[in-house]
Amino acid sequence: MKILRLLMQTEAIVAALAYAATTLLLLADVFSREFLSRSLWGAQQSAILLSILAGMIGLTLATGRQAHFRPEFADGILAFSWVDRLGDLISAILFAGFAYFAVEFVVESRNFSDRVPVINLTLWPVQIVVPYAMASSAIKHFVFALNPAAKEQLGRT
């Protein structure tokens, strides 16, 4: 449980830093355009990449805090104690599958030498956040399936 708590804290710091950097880049770009009559080279592309990073890490934070939007219409239909565990197990399997395909996507991107337009940055190192987010969410759901009390403990961090 300590490892998951540390992981969540690290993810929260990374997401906050990515959002802060996005904000600073965009503000600097606007300032530069308004007062210096020139755009900051690569600021918009970098801000997009940072916001993708923050959003994907945000997914893992939402998973850890059970903050996902979910339909509640069927909650009363299967009112068994094991249903939550089954839901977490299914979510873990789905996220693990998504992680697998995300790794395949990143590998293809690397093999094709995909680059970010304008700034000519190699794209695959940035894309690594996608399989990471999927794997992190899979691990959290797997832990929740094995230990439902972990949901409550992790949700309070």
Side-chain angles (χ1 to χ4, degrees), residues 17-85:
L17 289 173
Y19 274 127
T22 299
T23 303
L24 290 174
L25 269 173
L26 292 176
L27 286 173
D29 189 46
V30 168
F31 177 85
S32 181
R33 277 188 277 138
E34 292 298 320
F35 296 105
L36 305 175
S37 298
R38 62 182 343 186
S39 182
L40 288 180
W41 179 83
Q44 294 172 5
Q45 292 80 6
S46 299
I48 289 169
L49 295 174
L50 286 165
S51 64
I52 291 169
L53 171 69
M56 292 306 297
I57 297 297
L59 168 72
T60 68
L61 294 171
T63 298
R65 293 199 172 97
Q66 303 88 54
H68 294 294
F69 291 121
R70 68 176 191 82
E72 297 177 356
F73 69 91
D75 284 359
I77 295 172
L78 297 172
F80 303 108
S81 60
W82 51 266
V83 170
D84 282 341
R85 281 183 164 191

Side-chain angles (χ1 to χ4, degrees), residues 1 4 63-64 84-96 134-151 154:
M1 184 46 83
L4 282 181
T63 298
D84 282 341
R85 281 183 164 191
L86 178 62
D88 283 319
L89 182 60
I90 291 169
S91 294
I93 292 168
L94 285 172
F95 274 118
M134 298 299 131
S136 177
S137 293
I139 290 167
K140 289 172 187 167
H141 277 294
F142 187 68
V143 168
F144 297 158
L146 292 176
N147 180 11
K151 273 186 179 183
L154 198 58

